[in-house]
Amino acid sequence: MTRTLWVLGNWKQNHLPEAAAACARQIADDLPDALRGTSATVGDIRVGIAPPYLSLAATRPFVRPHAMLWLLAQDCGAQDAGAFTGEVGPNMIAAAGAEAAIIGHSERRALFGDTDRLVQAKLRAALAGGLTAVLCVGEALEVRQAGAHEAHVVAQLDAALAGLGPEAANARLVVAYEPVWAIGTGHTATPEQAAAMHRRIRAWLTERFGSAGTDRSILYGGSVKADNAQALVAAGDIDGFLVGGASLEPASFLAIVARAAAHVGT
Ligand code: 13P
């Protein structure tokens, strides 16, 4: 089967509403050019942006009319409402116009105390709230150096997806492998390193969810740029990208989209 390719821009804590809206507008305007000459259609590729919560509403008018463009939140609170100061839950994310949320990003895990248990709760809340969940997994450098990277990622999958059946995960779960040592460092995983981990994640998903697991897209993230995107997407079982720094400028983001789209039908 052909899985959907995703190219998602995680803007992290960047772009106030006005700048976010300008970027979103430019991405929407220039997307057709990025896809020109490729055979990619709406069913083949989804392009998404994840602005800060504050800027979701400002970007929505440019993103939502486009069938190929998605709007994502960068996180998702585990509850819909209540005495949870500072939290933004799935219903609020949906109300702001987003249809998906990134869950368990390594920056949330390392800097803001998101434990495996909390990641699981957030993921369940996002799915229950009708959002697509982009679950991030990935190992730190010392874990890879110790040769424990596959076991580490499998443990993250086990924890985040505990108790979920294929009906919960089907169609609305995307996994993003983001090795922590590759994020923001300029040290991309080699296509071989990324493909090996993606094969491991694929095996886990298929064992766990059967054909629904085989159909899930697995994205790579960590210093993705236009000049490494092509080799990564061609490496096998890499179904697109979660892009940080290079997604902040529409031109560099769309250059990655163009490289991924060029892979469609090859
Ligand atoms: P960079 O592309 O800046 O390495 O960030 C990757 C990332 O964390 C996306 O979620």
Side-chain angles (χ1 to χ4, degrees):
M1 58 98 36
T2 311
R3 281 181 292 271
T4 306
L5 275 178
W6 297 74
V7 182
L8 304 177
N10 175 8
W11 291 356
K12 307 192 180 183
Q13 194 182 346
N14 296 289
H15 290 338
L16 289 166
E18 201 179 324
C23 278
R25 179 201 291 266
Q26 202 177 331
I27 288 168
D29 285 352
D30 294 350
L31 183 59
D33 270 349
L35 301 177
R36 189 152 296 139
T38 76
S39 61
T41 64
V42 170
D44 302 315
I45 186 163
R46 289 177 187 157
V47 177
I49 54 170
Y53 287 135
L54 179 74
S55 299
L56 284 172
T59 56
R60 174 189 179 148
F62 307 106
V63 173
R64 286 305 288 265
H66 257 274
M68 205 181 270
L69 274 179
W70 279 52
L71 190 59
L72 294 86
Q74 295 175 14
D75 192 16
C76 177
Q79 289 87 14
D80 263 333
F84 304 106
T85 302
E87 283 294 88
V88 175
N91 59 346
M92 293 174 173
I93 290 169
E99 55 246 286
I102 298 169
I103 309 282
H105 192 280
S106 63
E107 286 153 14
R108 302 256 14 125
R109 294 180 192 255
L111 304 174
F112 301 101
D114 283 20
T115 59
D116 279 339
R117 197 185 167 95
L118 184 54
V119 169
Q120 184 200 80
K122 288 180 168 185
L123 185 124
R124 286 178 180 221
L127 291 176
L131 299 172
T132 291
V134 180
L135 170 65
C136 298
V137 294
E139 80 286 354
L141 184 59
E142 56 274 18
V143 175
R144 176 162 284 264
Q145 284 169 339
H149 42 290
E150 290 198 359
H152 180 86
V153 165
V154 163
Q156 288 180 321
L157 293 169
D158 282 339
L161 299 171
L164 277 185
E167 68 293 342
N170 200 10
R172 286 199 290 110
L173 175 70
V174 174
V175 176
Y177 170 55
E178 297 206 304
V180 177
W181 46 270
I183 295 177
T185 60
H187 299 299
T188 303
T190 64
E192 295 73 25
Q193 285 173 321
M197 184 63 87
H198 282 226
R199 277 195 299 276
R200 184 66 193 90
I201 296 170
R202 171 74 54 219
W204 190 97
L205 290 171
T206 303
E207 197 177 305
R208 184 58 199 286
F209 297 129
S211 61
T214 311
D215 292 351
R216 298 302 86 228
S217 296
I218 306 173
L219 318 185
Y220 169 79
S223 297
V224 175
K225 310 264 183 305
D227 57 9
N228 56 33
Q230 203 157 350
L232 284 162
V233 83
D237 243 328
I238 298 178
D239 309 311
F241 303 113
L242 183 52
V243 185
S247 73
L248 291 175
E249 291 288 335
S252 54
F253 181 56
L254 289 172
I256 296 169
V257 171
R259 298 295 164 91
H263 186 69
V264 171
T266 58

